[in-house]
Amino acid sequence: MRSTPHAETFPAHTPAAAQVFTAVLSHGPLTRLEAGRRAGLSAAAVTKAVRPLLAAGYLAEDADDDARPTPGRPATLVRVNGERALFLGVKVTGGELIAVLTDLCCRIRVARRRPLPDRAPGPVLASIADLVQELLAHAAESDAPVAGLGIAVSGDVDRAEGVVRYSPFLDWRDVPLAELAATTTGLPVTVDHDVRALTVAEQWFGAGAGLADFALVTVGTGIGCGLVVHGRVVAGAHGVAGEIGHVVVDPAGPACHCGNRGCVEAIAGESAIVARMREVTDRHIADGAQAVALAHEGVPGARAVYERAGEAIGRGIATVANLFGPERVIISGEGLAAYDLFADHIRRAFTTAAFGSAARCDVLTRPLPFEQWARGAAAAAIQSFITHTPGTGQG
């Protein structure tokens, strides 16, 4: 099994080849004509793009059995050969690591979880390395090379440099995670913001497939947002695009760890909800699950905490809709366990605050377990592999 940083190179030496491959990955199998239409390329450009990918086994062509019989050459479909390469994805939370082994089509083959008792970079890196070795043992059962490792972390993440600038839930600052993980595992490493990585997976394989403009809002420990504009995931000049968790919706509201007051996250993040629930109920509440249980039991004041959180989230989503008018906003995250408590308030606040036709945006809820976030990390690694945009940890 080949698993060193230079073991496998994607044979796409032009942007056109990456465009065609991504179109087939997301929407295939496709005819060459349809692949060209989706990628915005001529027939000649598609032929030139797919030739090396077919030769190297990343794409395959099969007869289209469903096509109408026509004179001349029979219709063929281009598809991604998912068995050609494997990828690893790791989602890092404040208390757990979730890791997956996927194929080139980002289909999960194996998933593993491991508790994270120590959040310091060294122990986290050692735990990641252990999980990677466990998954590499499974990968060894295949002849396909492991072509990359993606790591998804919350906070301010510089994907180009592979550095976690700041992660409040891990208490990290300026950790060169891609370089450290590449040295430890021997794999090309992509480190990305967890919500942005999940957005890539939703764009290619999930509720955002086929949409040119959509947003993914995650509700849980923090409030995150990934943006796709004109078919591209937006990272921003400094890697913090879409931070609706730090949109101020109540200037007189509670203090946020970012230094402001009344941010969406300071009202609707799990720790904020737990803290507020303790105040209004005068009870010891350990975590979000207990807070949800009290609200469902009808404890006085408990539901109002979630109503306030829903209003903050709805106003944050409206800000996104007003700024770039997405076709859809997907709401996900572990906080959806409480969705019935604040759904109406999200919708009401969104409708009130959205300007004009922005209120017509489709708001969709989509529960995604942390294995899907790890899959997002793998998708980020696949994206780097396809587009040849490695960070410092990739070679």
Side-chain angles (χ1 to χ4, degrees), residues 277 290-299 302-303 306 341:
M277 193 71 78
Q290 287 188 9
V292 170
L294 290 181
H296 282 148
E297 291 168 11
V299 172
R303 281 185 174 268
Y306 283 99
L341 297 170

Side-chain angles (χ1 to χ4, degrees), residues 315-340:
R315 291 177 67 182
I317 292 173
T319 299
V320 172
N322 290 340
L323 285 174
F324 85 100
E327 298 170 67
R328 174 175 292 164
V329 173
I330 305 161
I331 303 177
S332 190
E334 67 272 25
L336 286 192
Y339 190 70
D340 63 304

Side-chain angles (χ1 to χ4, degrees), residues 10 21 24-25 53-54 56-62 78-87 103-107 109 144:
F10 189 65
F21 187 85
V24 177
L25 181 66
L53 298 174
L54 288 168
Y58 286 95
L59 291 178
E61 282 190 309
D62 303 307
V78 181
R79 62 174 175 83
V80 171
N81 176 14
E83 305 302 311
R84 181 61 178 80
L86 302 175
F87 293 83
D103 64 11
L104 183 55
C105 294
C106 219
R107 293 174 295 218
R109 290 187 167 193

Side-chain angles (χ1 to χ4, degrees), residues 101-344:
L101 171 68
T102 80
D103 64 11
L104 183 55
C105 294
C106 219
R107 293 174 295 218
I108 296 176
R109 290 187 167 193
V110 182
R112 292 288 185 269
R113 288 186 175 226
R114 176 163 296 183
L116 198 62
D118 190 334
R119 300 178 185 179
V124 171
L125 192 66
S127 294
I128 289 174
D130 287 345
L131 270 175
V132 165
Q133 289 306 312
E134 183 177 343
L135 293 179
L136 286 177
H138 287 279
E141 299 171 5
S142 167
D143 292 332
V146 176
L149 163 65
I151 304 175
V153 183
S154 66
D156 181 356
V157 180
D158 186 336
R159 173 169 168 164
E161 295 298 324
V163 175
V164 180
R165 299 294 180 195
Y166 174 53
S167 181
F169 307 114
L170 295 171
D171 195 25
W172 287 6
R173 290 187 183 273
D174 297 320
V175 176
L177 186 58
E179 181 180 359
L180 294 172
T183 300
T184 303
T185 66
L187 291 168
V189 177
T190 299
V191 173
D192 206 352
H193 184 281
D194 55 353
V195 178
R196 195 158 54 233
L198 184 62
T199 303
V200 172
E202 285 297 285
Q203 180 189 27
W204 283 357
F205 314 108
L211 300 181
D213 302 279
F214 75 91
L216 171 68
V217 174
T218 57
V219 179
T221 304
I223 308 295
C225 181
L227 303 175
V228 172
V229 180
H230 300 319
R232 299 180 65 88
V233 178
V234 178
H238 305 290
V240 292
E243 284 289 348
I244 71 164
H246 298 288
V247 169
V248 175
V249 294
D250 180 5
C256 183
H257 63 77
C258 74
N260 291 317
R261 301 191 72 88
C263 295
V264 175
E265 191 167 292
I267 298 170
E270 182 178 290
S271 61
I273 288 174
V274 169
R276 181 61 178 162
M277 193 71 78
R278 289 172 182 154
E279 291 179 15
V280 302
T281 65
D282 196 26
R283 299 191 186 192
H284 174 73
I285 300 167
D287 54 28
Q290 287 188 9
V292 170
L294 290 181
H296 282 148
E297 291 168 11
V299 172
R303 281 185 174 268
V305 175
Y306 283 99
E307 291 169 2
R308 184 186 185 209
E311 290 171 0
I313 295 167
R315 291 177 67 182
I317 292 173
T319 299
V320 172
N322 290 340
L323 285 174
F324 85 100
E327 298 170 67
R328 174 175 292 164
V329 173
I330 305 161
I331 303 177
S332 190
E334 67 272 25
L336 286 192
Y339 190 70
D340 63 304
L341 297 170
F342 52 49
D344 290 344

